[in-house]
Amino acid sequence: SPPAIIAPSILSADFAILGKECSDTISQGADWLHIDIMDGHFVPNMTFGAPVVTKIRPHVERPAGAYGRGTFDCHMMIAEPKRWVRDFQKAGCDLYCFHYEAAISSTAADTPSGVSSSQTSPRELIKFIHELGMQAGIAIKPKTSVDVLWDILESPVEAERPDMVLIMTVEPGFGGQSFMASELPKVSALRAKYPELHIEVDGGLSGKTIDQAADAGANVIVAGSAVFGAKDPAEVIAKLREAVEK
Ligand code: DX5
Ligand code: ZN
Protein backbone atom coordinates (compact mmCIF):
# COMPACT_ATOMS: atom_id res chain seq x y z
CA SER A 1 0.00 0.00 0.00
CA PRO A 2 1.00 3.62 -0.45
CA PRO A 3 2.13 5.48 2.71
CA ALA A 4 -0.21 6.53 5.50
CA ILE A 5 -1.50 10.06 4.99
CA ILE A 6 -3.36 11.79 7.78
CA ALA A 7 -5.61 14.59 6.60
CA PRO A 8 -7.42 16.54 9.34
CA SER A 9 -10.67 18.05 8.12
CA ILE A 10 -10.70 21.74 8.91
CA LEU A 11 -14.50 21.62 8.95
CA SER A 12 -14.09 21.08 12.70
CA ALA A 13 -11.50 23.86 13.13
CA ASP A 14 -12.24 27.28 14.60
CA PHE A 15 -13.03 29.31 11.47
CA ALA A 16 -12.34 32.58 13.28
CA ILE A 17 -8.64 31.63 13.47
CA LEU A 18 -8.46 29.34 10.48
CA GLY A 19 -4.93 30.21 9.35
CA LYS A 20 -3.51 29.35 12.75
CA GLU A 21 -5.60 26.18 13.01
CA CYS A 22 -4.19 25.05 9.65
CA SER A 23 -0.54 25.69 10.51
CA ASP A 24 -1.01 24.17 13.97
CA THR A 25 -2.40 20.89 12.66
CA ILE A 26 0.55 20.55 10.27
CA SER A 27 3.02 21.15 13.14
CA GLN A 28 1.12 18.52 15.13
CA GLY A 29 2.04 15.92 12.51
CA ALA A 30 -0.70 16.11 9.89
CA ASP A 31 0.29 15.40 6.28
CA TRP A 32 -2.51 17.06 4.35
CA LEU A 33 -5.29 19.50 5.05
CA HIS A 34 -8.69 18.15 4.10
CA ILE A 35 -10.74 21.13 2.99
CA ASP A 36 -14.49 20.56 2.78
CA ILE A 37 -16.23 22.73 0.21
CA MET A 38 -20.04 22.59 0.45
CA ASP A 39 -22.48 24.55 -1.67
CA GLY A 40 -25.80 24.04 0.11
CA HIS A 41 -27.05 22.31 -3.03
CA PHE A 42 -25.11 19.08 -3.58
CA VAL A 43 -25.15 18.70 0.22
CA PRO A 44 -27.50 20.33 2.75
CA ASN A 45 -24.83 22.54 4.30
CA MET A 46 -22.50 25.39 3.28
CA THR A 47 -18.90 26.12 4.11
CA PHE A 48 -16.73 28.45 2.06
CA GLY A 49 -15.18 28.85 -1.36
CA ALA A 50 -11.92 29.64 -3.12
CA PRO A 51 -11.34 33.07 -1.49
CA VAL A 52 -10.93 31.40 1.90
CA VAL A 53 -8.56 28.78 0.45
CA THR A 54 -6.50 31.64 -1.02
CA LYS A 55 -6.22 33.24 2.41
CA ILE A 56 -5.16 30.08 4.25
CA ARG A 57 -2.61 29.01 1.61
CA PRO A 58 0.21 31.25 2.95
CA HIS A 59 -0.21 29.67 6.41
CA VAL A 60 0.82 26.23 5.14
CA GLU A 61 3.98 25.64 3.13
CA ARG A 62 3.34 24.27 -0.34
CA PRO A 63 4.17 20.52 -0.66
CA ALA A 64 7.56 19.68 -2.16
CA GLY A 65 6.05 17.14 -4.56
CA ALA A 66 2.80 15.35 -5.28
CA TYR A 67 1.10 14.07 -2.08
CA GLY A 68 3.67 15.81 0.16
CA ARG A 69 3.17 17.46 3.52
CA GLY A 70 0.99 20.55 3.22
CA THR A 71 -1.13 19.20 0.36
CA PHE A 72 -4.46 21.02 0.15
CA ASP A 73 -6.94 18.18 -0.39
CA CYS A 74 -10.10 19.96 -1.51
CA HIS A 75 -13.20 17.81 -1.13
CA MET A 76 -15.68 19.41 -3.48
CA MET A 77 -19.20 18.67 -2.24
CA ILE A 78 -20.65 20.88 -4.92
CA ALA A 79 -22.78 20.73 -8.03
CA GLU A 80 -21.05 21.54 -11.32
CA PRO A 81 -17.57 20.52 -10.20
CA LYS A 82 -15.96 21.52 -13.51
CA ARG A 83 -16.96 25.11 -13.02
CA TRP A 84 -14.67 25.66 -10.03
CA VAL A 85 -11.49 23.84 -11.06
CA ARG A 86 -9.66 26.94 -12.24
CA ASP A 87 -10.61 29.05 -9.21
CA PHE A 88 -9.38 26.39 -6.80
CA GLN A 89 -6.15 25.87 -8.74
CA LYS A 90 -5.50 29.61 -8.48
CA ALA A 91 -6.35 29.51 -4.77
CA GLY A 92 -3.65 26.93 -4.08
CA CYS A 93 -5.48 23.62 -4.17
CA ASP A 94 -3.15 20.65 -4.84
CA LEU A 95 -5.70 17.84 -5.08
CA TYR A 96 -9.16 18.53 -6.45
CA CYS A 97 -11.53 15.76 -5.39
CA PHE A 98 -14.96 15.95 -6.97
CA HIS A 99 -18.05 13.80 -6.47
CA TYR A 100 -18.92 11.30 -9.17
CA GLU A 101 -22.62 12.00 -8.53
CA ALA A 102 -22.17 15.72 -9.19
CA ALA A 103 -20.16 15.23 -12.38
CA ILE A 104 -22.72 12.96 -14.02
CA SER A 105 -25.81 14.92 -13.03
CA SER A 106 -26.96 17.44 -15.58
CA THR A 107 -27.95 20.89 -14.53
CA ALA A 108 -29.54 23.60 -16.56
CA ALA A 109 -28.49 26.40 -14.29
CA ASP A 110 -25.90 28.20 -16.32
CA THR A 111 -26.87 28.48 -19.97
CA PRO A 112 -29.89 30.09 -21.60
CA SER A 113 -30.29 27.06 -23.87
CA GLY A 114 -30.78 24.88 -20.83
CA VAL A 115 -27.80 22.77 -21.80
CA SER A 116 -25.22 23.01 -19.10
CA SER A 117 -21.69 23.83 -20.05
CA SER A 118 -20.60 22.33 -16.78
CA GLN A 119 -21.92 18.82 -17.13
CA THR A 120 -18.92 16.65 -17.70
CA SER A 121 -17.84 13.05 -17.78
CA PRO A 122 -15.68 12.05 -14.83
CA ARG A 123 -12.84 11.15 -17.19
CA GLU A 124 -12.93 14.52 -18.95
CA LEU A 125 -13.01 16.28 -15.63
CA ILE A 126 -10.01 14.32 -14.33
CA LYS A 127 -8.09 15.23 -17.48
CA PHE A 128 -8.98 18.89 -17.06
CA ILE A 129 -7.81 18.87 -13.42
CA HIS A 130 -4.52 17.30 -14.52
CA GLU A 131 -4.11 19.89 -17.27
CA LEU A 132 -4.24 22.56 -14.59
CA GLY A 133 -1.44 20.84 -12.70
CA MET A 134 -3.42 19.38 -9.80
CA GLN A 135 -3.90 15.82 -8.61
CA ALA A 136 -7.41 14.51 -9.25
CA GLY A 137 -9.63 12.64 -6.82
CA ILE A 138 -13.05 11.12 -7.30
CA ALA A 139 -15.44 10.64 -4.38
CA ILE A 140 -18.52 8.46 -4.00
CA LYS A 141 -21.35 8.78 -1.49
CA PRO A 142 -22.54 5.78 0.56
CA LYS A 143 -25.45 5.05 -1.79
CA THR A 144 -23.21 4.95 -4.88
CA SER A 145 -21.80 1.59 -5.94
CA VAL A 146 -18.06 1.16 -6.21
CA ASP A 147 -18.74 -0.42 -9.60
CA VAL A 148 -19.13 3.02 -11.21
CA LEU A 149 -15.38 3.52 -10.69
CA TRP A 150 -13.86 0.60 -12.58
CA ASP A 151 -14.22 2.10 -16.06
CA ILE A 152 -12.73 5.36 -14.88
CA LEU A 153 -9.78 3.67 -13.19
CA GLU A 154 -9.21 1.59 -16.32
CA SER A 155 -9.23 4.46 -18.79
CA PRO A 156 -6.69 3.81 -21.54
CA VAL A 157 -5.68 7.48 -21.32
CA GLU A 158 -3.43 7.98 -18.31
CA ALA A 159 -4.47 11.62 -17.76
CA GLU A 160 -8.09 10.45 -17.36
CA ARG A 161 -7.31 8.18 -14.42
CA PRO A 162 -7.75 9.49 -10.87
CA ASP A 163 -4.86 9.75 -8.42
CA MET A 164 -7.15 9.11 -5.48
CA VAL A 165 -10.54 7.61 -4.74
CA LEU A 166 -12.53 8.88 -1.76
CA ILE A 167 -14.96 6.46 -0.16
CA MET A 168 -17.39 8.38 2.03
CA THR A 169 -18.03 6.65 5.34
CA VAL A 170 -20.86 9.05 6.25
CA GLU A 171 -23.43 10.91 4.17
CA PRO A 172 -21.53 14.05 3.16
CA GLY A 173 -22.60 17.35 4.68
CA PHE A 174 -21.63 17.41 8.34
CA GLY A 175 -18.80 16.60 10.69
CA GLY A 176 -19.24 14.47 13.78
CA GLN A 177 -21.45 11.73 12.31
CA SER A 178 -21.16 8.00 13.01
CA PHE A 179 -18.81 5.89 10.93
CA MET A 180 -20.52 3.56 8.41
CA ALA A 181 -18.58 0.29 8.41
CA SER A 182 -20.94 -0.81 5.62
CA GLU A 183 -18.77 1.19 3.19
CA LEU A 184 -15.55 -0.71 3.86
CA PRO A 185 -16.10 -3.49 1.32
CA LYS A 186 -15.71 -0.76 -1.32
CA VAL A 187 -12.27 0.00 0.08
CA SER A 188 -11.26 -3.69 0.12
CA ALA A 189 -12.46 -4.19 -3.43
CA LEU A 190 -10.43 -1.20 -4.65
CA ARG A 191 -7.35 -2.20 -2.68
CA ALA A 192 -7.44 -5.76 -4.04
CA LYS A 193 -7.27 -4.42 -7.59
CA TYR A 194 -5.05 -1.39 -7.06
CA PRO A 195 -2.20 -1.90 -4.58
CA GLU A 196 -0.77 1.57 -5.26
CA LEU A 197 -3.92 3.69 -5.45
CA HIS A 198 -4.50 6.38 -2.84
CA ILE A 199 -7.74 5.38 -1.12
CA GLU A 200 -9.19 7.97 1.23
CA VAL A 201 -11.90 7.43 3.82
CA ASP A 202 -13.86 10.35 5.23
CA GLY A 203 -16.44 10.50 7.99
CA GLY A 204 -16.47 9.18 11.54
CA LEU A 205 -12.79 8.21 11.65
CA SER A 206 -11.27 8.11 15.12
CA GLY A 207 -9.18 5.88 17.36
CA LYS A 208 -12.24 3.64 17.62
CA THR A 209 -12.87 3.12 13.90
CA ILE A 210 -9.44 3.46 12.34
CA ASP A 211 -8.44 -0.21 12.61
CA GLN A 212 -11.36 -1.36 10.46
CA ALA A 213 -10.62 1.24 7.82
CA ALA A 214 -6.90 0.47 7.82
CA ASP A 215 -7.53 -3.28 7.61
CA ALA A 216 -9.76 -2.72 4.57
CA GLY A 217 -6.84 -0.94 2.88
CA ALA A 218 -7.45 2.78 3.25
CA ASN A 219 -4.26 4.85 3.41
CA VAL A 220 -5.55 8.45 3.39
CA ILE A 221 -7.38 9.13 6.61
CA VAL A 222 -9.61 12.16 7.08
CA ALA A 223 -10.55 13.07 10.64
CA GLY A 224 -12.34 16.24 11.64
CA SER A 225 -13.92 16.11 15.08
CA ALA A 226 -11.48 13.42 16.30
CA VAL A 227 -8.49 15.71 15.67
CA PHE A 228 -9.84 19.22 16.27
CA GLY A 229 -11.95 18.12 19.22
CA ALA A 230 -9.04 16.40 20.96
CA LYS A 231 -7.13 17.67 23.99
CA ASP A 232 -3.95 16.39 22.36
CA PRO A 233 -4.39 16.47 18.57
CA ALA A 234 -0.78 15.38 17.99
CA GLU A 235 -1.45 12.17 19.88
CA VAL A 236 -4.58 11.44 17.83
CA ILE A 237 -2.73 12.06 14.57
CA ALA A 238 0.10 9.75 15.68
CA LYS A 239 -2.37 7.02 16.66
CA LEU A 240 -4.19 7.19 13.34
CA ARG A 241 -0.87 6.95 11.51
CA GLU A 242 0.29 4.01 13.61
CA ALA A 243 -2.92 2.10 12.87
CA VAL A 244 -2.45 2.51 9.11
CA GLU A 245 1.25 1.65 9.21
CA LYS A 246 0.98 -1.44 11.37
C1 DX5 B 1 -18.39 15.40 5.80
C2 DX5 B 1 -17.01 15.87 5.46
C3 DX5 B 1 -15.97 15.36 6.36
C4 DX5 B 1 -16.10 15.77 7.80
C5 DX5 B 1 -15.60 14.65 8.63
O1 DX5 B 1 -19.25 15.74 4.79
O2 DX5 B 1 -16.67 15.48 4.14
O3 DX5 B 1 -14.68 15.69 5.86
O4 DX5 B 1 -15.41 16.93 8.15
O5 DX5 B 1 -15.82 14.96 9.96
P1 DX5 B 1 -15.68 13.86 11.09
O6 DX5 B 1 -14.27 13.34 11.04
O7 DX5 B 1 -15.97 14.62 12.33
O8 DX5 B 1 -16.67 12.78 10.78
ZN1 ZN C 1 -14.58 15.68 3.47
Side-chain angles (χ1 to χ4, degrees), residues 74-121:
C74 295
H75 178 194
M76 309 303 293
M77 288 165 275
I78 59 166
E80 298 181 76
K82 188 172 184 188
R83 188 165 159 183
W84 305 100
V85 173
R86 210 174 280 279
D87 282 10
F88 276 77
Q89 186 258 331
K90 284 194 196 131
C93 166
D94 302 293
L95 192 163
Y96 188 96
C97 183
F98 65 91
H99 267 269
Y100 168 83
E101 302 86 355
I104 63 158
S105 99
S106 64
T107 163
D110 63 345
T111 63
S113 65
V115 177
S116 171
S117 59
S118 300
Q119 186 189 359
T120 177
S121 81

Side-chain angles (χ1 to χ4, degrees), residues 34 36 75 77 99 101 138-143 165-174 177 179-180 182-184 186-187 200-203 205 222:
H34 183 83
D36 287 308
H75 178 194
M77 288 165 275
H99 267 269
E101 302 86 355
I138 185 163
I140 56 170
K141 299 204 274 187
K143 288 190 185 77
V165 168
L166 165 52
I167 301 299
M168 289 305 299
T169 45
V170 297
E171 283 297 338
F174 302 91
Q177 304 182 79
F179 180 73
M180 296 168 69
S182 58
E183 303 313 294
L184 293 179
K186 295 177 181 175
V187 175
E200 182 174 59
V201 282
D202 181 12
L205 272 305
V222 176

Side-chain angles (χ1 to χ4, degrees), residues 215-229:
D215 289 348
N219 73 297
V220 185
I221 310 300
V222 176
S225 47
V227 169
F228 285 98

Side-chain angles (χ1 to χ4, degrees), residues 28 226-227 229-238:
Q28 288 156 357
V227 169
K231 252 200 215 98
D232 187 350
E235 192 192 343
V236 174
I237 292 168

Side-chain angles (χ1 to χ4, degrees), residues 19-42:
K20 183 177 184 303
E21 293 274 80
C22 291
S23 56
D24 281 357
T25 195
I26 294 290
S27 357
Q28 288 156 357
D31 299 288
W32 295 1
L33 283 190
H34 183 83
I35 302 176
D36 287 308
I37 308 298
M38 305 186 188
D39 67 354
H41 181 67
F42 180 73

